[in-house]
Amino acid sequence: MLAPTKDKEIVEFTKKLKDILDKSKNILITGHKNPDGDAIGSALSIYTFLKNLYKDKNIKIAFKDKVPYFLSFLPFSDKIEKLEKYKDSNFDTIIVCDTADIKRIGTFLPKAKYIVEIDHHKERKPFGNLSLVKSPLSSTAELVFEVLYLLNPDLIDLNISYQIYTGIYSDTAGFSYETVTTRTFSIASFLLSKGVNPRIIFTNLYERNPYRKLKLLSLALSRIKLWEDIKFARTFILKKDLEKYKATYEDTEGFVNYPRSLENVEIAAFYLEKDFGFKVSLRSKLYFDVSLLALKFGGGGHKHAAGFEVNIKDVKKLDNLLVENIKNLIENFSF
Ligand SMILES: [Mn+2]
């Protein structure tokens, strides 16, 4: 049997959260825009748990954007609504998962007496009146698991196990980051004991690519540019490419991993053209902290995965800006 965490902060938070939830009639669970496996997995697991715990409360789950196709296999993903629907609503409690800054919600948050944050990002702008933040930590889903397990381990069913496992798995690229600890594996082991089939999760996350995505990927691969001196590689996708293949933004998910996979590359970027300019995803392989690079452009994230948005419309200009900033960081941090 897995022992519940003894972490004082988590234990204290869980007590306060239980208090708030007991008093709440209307509860909303949400997370950041363009939601990933961790945001959706964390939020869905809380939703499912609270539905198991309270039969008489009004519990909703909503995001700014729709659930990406590779997460639609998750139990109750069909319950996820658009946040827009609740913009004039009043909730007793809103729980926000995996969100470092209220701006990352992507839209207005409805009114609430209590705003609860659960997150694992290092650089944050706190916005809630009750928060639990642990960093470094594999995922928000791991933190949510600790809280739910403290609340009542018997309520963690197979549905919740799938939701949590997916959150941890996708935020660690399949348990491959150094944020993965022996505790992460103990939790994964507990989830497997509930009946999770890891193959189902892997296949849904990574082996449901639409044909158009691979066409788009071949274009992205053909555009990889490498700066050997600073171990940097990047690629990009433009709006007109998406139009050509009738693809959407979510079809570019994971593209940044290809320039990173090059031998001798430490830092990788993927530029995705948007109306305002480019959304830039950053990745590092071993030692470079891309969250520092993202911060220079008003973004953020983690050591190995970060991002920012910029209103530059020219790829070359963006290249030059990134190269210059990487060079500066390398000097400062002795690469
Ligand atoms: Mn996360």
Side-chain angles (χ1 to χ4, degrees):
M1 204 50 193
L2 182 69
T5 181
K6 288 193 173 66
D7 183 297
K8 275 205 184 80
E9 223 182 309
I10 303 178
V11 172
E12 277 308 302
F13 167 87
T14 305
K15 276 187 197 147
K16 285 182 191 155
L17 178 67
K18 180 73 168 58
D19 219 47
I20 288 175
L21 291 172
D22 283 343
K23 286 188 285 192
S24 299
K25 184 85 192 98
N26 300 299
I27 300 163
L28 174 72
I29 303 140
T30 188
H32 60 78
K33 64 180 176 179
N34 306 317
D36 54 12
D38 192 27
I40 297 272
S42 308
L44 269 179
S45 64
I46 296 173
Y47 172 83
T48 311
F49 186 92
L50 295 185
K51 284 278 193 188
N52 290 349
L53 181 63
Y54 302 113
K55 301 294 173 198
D56 57 338
K57 292 190 194 293
N58 177 35
I59 302 160
K60 301 288 181 197
I61 179 165
F63 282 81
K64 178 188 175 275
D65 303 303
K66 71 174 174 69
V67 179
Y69 69 87
F70 51 86
L71 295 169
S72 64
F73 74 102
L74 282 174
F76 303 123
S77 62
D78 58 323
K79 302 289 183 204
I80 298 178
E81 300 178 281
K82 285 284 181 72
L83 254 184
E84 180 75 6
K85 183 179 165 185
Y86 294 107
K87 67 175 193 297
D88 300 318
S89 302
N90 239 309
F91 287 90
D92 298 309
T93 298
I94 298 179
I95 303 174
V96 185
C97 300
D98 202 38
T99 305
D101 180 335
I102 196 155
K103 278 196 221 135
R104 290 277 296 133
I105 299 277
T107 182
F108 287 108
L109 205 57
K111 285 196 197 67
K113 239 176 278 166
Y114 303 103
I115 293 180
V116 180
E117 302 168 82
I118 307 182
D119 189 27
H120 70 129
H121 289 89
K122 188 174 66 177
E123 301 291 342
R124 302 190 76 258
K125 285 193 182 130
F127 54 89
N129 33 30
L130 177 63
S131 73
L132 178 61
V133 177
K134 288 274 168 193
S135 181
L137 187 79
S138 75
S139 54
T140 297
E142 180 173 335
L143 195 51
V144 167
F145 174 87
E146 299 289 20
V147 172
L148 303 184
Y149 198 75
L150 279 169
L151 283 170
N152 186 350
D154 297 332
L155 292 184
I156 299 182
D157 57 17
L158 181 57
N159 290 332
I160 295 172
S161 299
Y162 266 104
Q163 294 154 348
I164 300 264
Y165 191 100
T166 299
I168 299 174
Y169 195 89
S170 43
D171 249 28
T172 58
F175 300 99
S176 70
Y177 289 171
E178 64 259 75
T179 51
V180 171
T181 62
T182 56
R183 179 73 180 171
T184 315
F185 278 112
S186 299
I187 292 169
S189 163
F190 173 87
L191 300 172
L192 288 188
S193 78
K194 289 282 161 181
V196 163
N197 177 346
R199 189 74 206 158
I200 289 180
I201 293 174
F202 177 82
T203 299
N204 275 284
L205 288 179
Y206 304 117
E207 295 182 331
R208 287 182 64 199
N209 289 325
Y211 184 69
R212 59 174 190 271
K213 177 167 179 171
L214 293 199
K215 298 299 282 182
L216 204 60
L217 176 61
S218 73
L219 194 62
L221 293 177
S222 72
R223 284 177 182 158
I224 289 178
K225 189 171 171 186
L226 174 64
W227 284 259
E228 275 181 76
D229 55 334
I230 54 170
K231 302 182 180 200
F232 171 58
R234 66 90 178 118
T235 187
F236 62 90
I237 287 290
L238 303 175
K239 280 201 298 193
K240 65 173 187 334
D241 306 325
L242 296 178
E243 281 157 25
K244 186 178 173 194
Y245 294 111
K246 295 190 170 53
T248 61
Y249 293 131
E250 70 185 42
D251 291 322
T252 65
E253 176 77 28
F255 281 16
V256 67
N257 297 324
Y258 291 91
R260 178 172 66 177
S261 72
L262 276 169
E263 192 183 14
N264 293 326
V265 160
E266 171 60 23
I267 309 155
F270 172 64
Y271 315 159
L272 179 61
E273 192 186 17
K274 297 264 192 170
D275 291 328
F276 55 79
F278 282 97
K279 176 177 181 273
V280 179
S281 302
L282 299 168
R283 294 292 184 274
S284 70
K285 200 178 267 171
L286 287 169
Y287 39 88
F288 190 83
D289 186 347
V290 282
S291 74
L292 298 173
L293 184 56
L295 267 181
K296 298 230 171 211
F297 298 91
H302 306 284
K303 183 178 177 188
H304 297 299
F308 64 90
E309 295 176 342
V310 68
N311 59 5
I312 293 170
K313 302 225 172 206
D314 182 68
V315 169
K316 239 198 183 118
K317 256 190 204 158
L318 187 50
D319 280 345
N320 291 338
L321 207 58
L322 271 174
V323 167
E324 184 191 318
N325 275 280
I326 291 168
K327 281 184 177 158
N328 283 337
L329 282 171
I330 294 170
E331 271 169 27
N332 292 340
F333 296 93
S334 57
F335 197 42

